[in-house]
mmCIF file of all heavy atoms in Angstrom:
data_model
loop_
_atom_site.group_PDB
_atom_site.id
_atom_site.type_symbol
_atom_site.label_atom_id
_atom_site.label_comp_id
_atom_site.label_asym_id
_atom_site.label_seq_id
_atom_site.Cartn_x
_atom_site.Cartn_y
_atom_site.Cartn_z
ATOM 1 N N LEU D 4 9.766 -3.238 -17.278
ATOM 2 C CA LEU D 4 10.935 -3.159 -16.416
ATOM 3 C C LEU D 4 12.141 -2.565 -17.138
ATOM 4 O O LEU D 4 12.980 -1.916 -16.517
ATOM 5 C CB LEU D 4 11.263 -4.559 -15.896
ATOM 6 C CG LEU D 4 12.019 -4.688 -14.577
ATOM 7 C CD1 LEU D 4 11.235 -4.071 -13.442
ATOM 8 C CD2 LEU D 4 12.324 -6.155 -14.294
ATOM 9 N N PRO D 23 17.917 1.569 -0.526
ATOM 10 C CA PRO D 23 18.876 1.958 0.519
ATOM 11 C C PRO D 23 18.904 0.919 1.630
ATOM 12 O O PRO D 23 17.850 0.516 2.133
ATOM 13 C CB PRO D 23 18.332 3.302 1.017
ATOM 14 C CG PRO D 23 16.871 3.264 0.684
ATOM 15 C CD PRO D 23 16.743 2.455 -0.562
ATOM 16 N N SER D 29 31.240 1.835 7.422
ATOM 17 C CA SER D 29 32.005 3.051 7.148
ATOM 18 C C SER D 29 32.636 3.538 8.453
ATOM 19 O O SER D 29 32.074 4.396 9.146
ATOM 20 C CB SER D 29 31.099 4.136 6.556
ATOM 21 O OG SER D 29 30.575 3.743 5.303
ATOM 22 N N ALA D 39 32.671 2.168 -2.554
ATOM 23 C CA ALA D 39 32.616 2.588 -3.955
ATOM 24 C C ALA D 39 32.479 1.382 -4.874
ATOM 25 O O ALA D 39 31.674 1.393 -5.825
ATOM 26 C CB ALA D 39 33.864 3.397 -4.307
ATOM 27 N N TYR D 42 28.882 -0.319 -4.657
ATOM 28 C CA TYR D 42 27.855 0.339 -5.456
ATOM 29 C C TYR D 42 28.141 0.228 -6.948
ATOM 30 O O TYR D 42 27.238 -0.020 -7.763
ATOM 31 C CB TYR D 42 27.716 1.805 -5.045
ATOM 32 C CG TYR D 42 27.084 2.001 -3.695
ATOM 33 C CD1 TYR D 42 27.764 2.645 -2.665
ATOM 34 C CD2 TYR D 42 25.790 1.542 -3.446
ATOM 35 C CE1 TYR D 42 27.176 2.830 -1.420
ATOM 36 C CE2 TYR D 42 25.199 1.715 -2.200
ATOM 37 C CZ TYR D 42 25.891 2.362 -1.193
ATOM 38 O OH TYR D 42 25.303 2.538 0.040
ATOM 39 N N VAL D 50 21.732 -1.903 -12.784
ATOM 40 C CA VAL D 50 20.795 -1.236 -11.890
ATOM 41 C C VAL D 50 20.555 0.173 -12.435
ATOM 42 O O VAL D 50 21.498 0.925 -12.684
ATOM 43 C CB VAL D 50 21.337 -1.171 -10.453
ATOM 44 C CG1 VAL D 50 20.484 -0.247 -9.596
ATOM 45 C CG2 VAL D 50 21.378 -2.560 -9.837
ATOM 46 N N ARG D 62 23.997 17.251 11.932
ATOM 47 C CA ARG D 62 23.201 17.674 13.088
ATOM 48 C C ARG D 62 23.631 16.781 14.249
ATOM 49 O O ARG D 62 23.677 15.548 14.090
ATOM 50 C CB ARG D 62 21.716 17.515 12.765
ATOM 51 C CG ARG D 62 20.763 17.690 13.943
ATOM 52 C CD ARG D 62 20.449 19.126 14.233
ATOM 53 N NE ARG D 62 19.560 19.206 15.412
ATOM 54 C CZ ARG D 62 19.443 20.271 16.179
ATOM 55 N NH1 ARG D 62 20.146 21.364 15.912
ATOM 56 N NH2 ARG D 62 18.625 20.260 17.212
ATOM 57 N N ALA D 65 21.822 13.484 14.879
ATOM 58 C CA ALA D 65 21.301 12.789 13.699
ATOM 59 C C ALA D 65 21.567 11.296 13.727
ATOM 60 O O ALA D 65 20.794 10.510 13.185
ATOM 61 C CB ALA D 65 21.894 13.391 12.425
ATOM 62 N N LEU D 101 19.401 11.107 2.606
ATOM 63 C CA LEU D 101 19.739 12.028 3.686
ATOM 64 C C LEU D 101 18.926 11.660 4.920
ATOM 65 O O LEU D 101 17.695 11.610 4.874
ATOM 66 C CB LEU D 101 19.458 13.467 3.252
ATOM 67 C CG LEU D 101 20.109 13.890 1.929
ATOM 68 C CD1 LEU D 101 19.776 15.336 1.611
ATOM 69 C CD2 LEU D 101 21.626 13.670 1.947
ATOM 70 N N ALA D 145 19.138 20.898 3.862
ATOM 71 C CA ALA D 145 19.359 21.685 2.646
ATOM 72 C C ALA D 145 20.833 21.742 2.290
ATOM 73 O O ALA D 145 21.206 21.632 1.110
ATOM 74 C CB ALA D 145 18.799 23.101 2.840
ATOM 75 N N HIS D 162 14.922 10.966 3.769
ATOM 76 C CA HIS D 162 14.376 9.821 4.509
ATOM 77 C C HIS D 162 13.305 10.320 5.472
ATOM 78 O O HIS D 162 13.605 10.947 6.481
ATOM 79 C CB HIS D 162 15.505 9.128 5.270
ATOM 80 C CG HIS D 162 15.198 7.726 5.694
ATOM 81 N ND1 HIS D 162 13.914 7.232 5.804
ATOM 82 C CD2 HIS D 162 16.019 6.694 6.025
ATOM 83 C CE1 HIS D 162 13.968 5.965 6.190
ATOM 84 N NE2 HIS D 162 15.228 5.618 6.335
ATOM 85 N N PRO D 188 -3.281 16.247 9.974
ATOM 86 C CA PRO D 188 -2.244 15.703 9.098
ATOM 87 C C PRO D 188 -1.408 16.769 8.395
ATOM 88 O O PRO D 188 -0.179 16.636 8.314
ATOM 89 C CB PRO D 188 -3.044 14.852 8.098
ATOM 90 C CG PRO D 188 -4.238 14.412 8.869
ATOM 91 C CD PRO D 188 -4.591 15.578 9.747
ATOM 92 N N SER D 207 19.485 22.674 -8.054
ATOM 93 C CA SER D 207 19.011 23.140 -9.351
ATOM 94 C C SER D 207 17.589 22.639 -9.617
ATOM 95 O O SER D 207 17.184 21.587 -9.107
ATOM 96 C CB SER D 207 19.942 22.646 -10.459
ATOM 97 O OG SER D 207 21.251 23.127 -10.256
ATOM 98 N N ALA D 245 5.461 20.945 -1.778
ATOM 99 C CA ALA D 245 6.741 21.532 -1.382
ATOM 100 C C ALA D 245 7.854 21.224 -2.375
ATOM 101 O O ALA D 245 8.877 21.909 -2.363
ATOM 102 C CB ALA D 245 7.138 21.035 0.000
ATOM 103 N N GLN D 292 6.400 -16.761 1.731
ATOM 104 C CA GLN D 292 6.091 -17.288 3.052
ATOM 105 C C GLN D 292 7.184 -16.983 4.057
ATOM 106 O O GLN D 292 6.994 -17.157 5.251
ATOM 107 C CB GLN D 292 5.860 -18.802 2.995
ATOM 108 C CG GLN D 292 7.096 -19.614 2.587
ATOM 109 C CD GLN D 292 7.145 -19.852 1.094
ATOM 110 O OE1 GLN D 292 6.711 -19.012 0.323
ATOM 111 N NE2 GLN D 292 7.673 -20.997 0.682
ATOM 112 N N SER D 300 13.873 -10.271 10.861
ATOM 113 C CA SER D 300 14.061 -11.701 10.629
ATOM 114 C C SER D 300 14.361 -11.985 9.174
ATOM 115 O O SER D 300 15.000 -12.987 8.843
ATOM 116 C CB SER D 300 12.817 -12.483 11.066
ATOM 117 O OG SER D 300 11.712 -12.184 10.239
ATOM 118 N N SER D 306 16.539 -17.079 2.296
ATOM 119 C CA SER D 306 15.273 -17.047 1.582
ATOM 120 C C SER D 306 15.500 -17.464 0.142
ATOM 121 O O SER D 306 16.473 -17.049 -0.490
ATOM 122 C CB SER D 306 14.672 -15.645 1.612
ATOM 123 O OG SER D 306 13.447 -15.626 0.910
ATOM 124 N N ALA D 316 3.506 -7.096 -13.605
ATOM 125 C CA ALA D 316 2.126 -6.793 -13.998
ATOM 126 C C ALA D 316 1.648 -5.496 -13.345
ATOM 127 O O ALA D 316 0.987 -4.667 -13.986
ATOM 128 C CB ALA D 316 1.214 -7.953 -13.616
ATOM 129 N N TRP D 338 21.621 -9.038 -10.232
ATOM 130 C CA TRP D 338 20.189 -9.330 -10.232
ATOM 131 C C TRP D 338 19.459 -8.523 -11.295
ATOM 132 O O TRP D 338 18.574 -9.053 -11.991
ATOM 133 C CB TRP D 338 19.579 -9.032 -8.860
ATOM 134 C CG TRP D 338 18.161 -9.503 -8.695
ATOM 135 C CD1 TRP D 338 17.730 -10.686 -8.202
ATOM 136 C CD2 TRP D 338 16.970 -8.776 -9.058
ATOM 137 N NE1 TRP D 338 16.354 -10.760 -8.214
ATOM 138 C CE2 TRP D 338 15.863 -9.591 -8.733
ATOM 139 C CE3 TRP D 338 16.726 -7.519 -9.610
ATOM 140 C CZ2 TRP D 338 14.541 -9.196 -8.954
ATOM 141 C CZ3 TRP D 338 15.410 -7.121 -9.828
ATOM 142 C CH2 TRP D 338 14.334 -7.953 -9.504
#
Side-chain angles (χ1 to χ4, degrees):
L4 205 61
S29 296
Y42 289 120
V50 169
R62 170 83 182 157
L101 307 181
H162 199 340
S207 300
Q292 65 268 33
S300 67
S306 180
W338 189 92

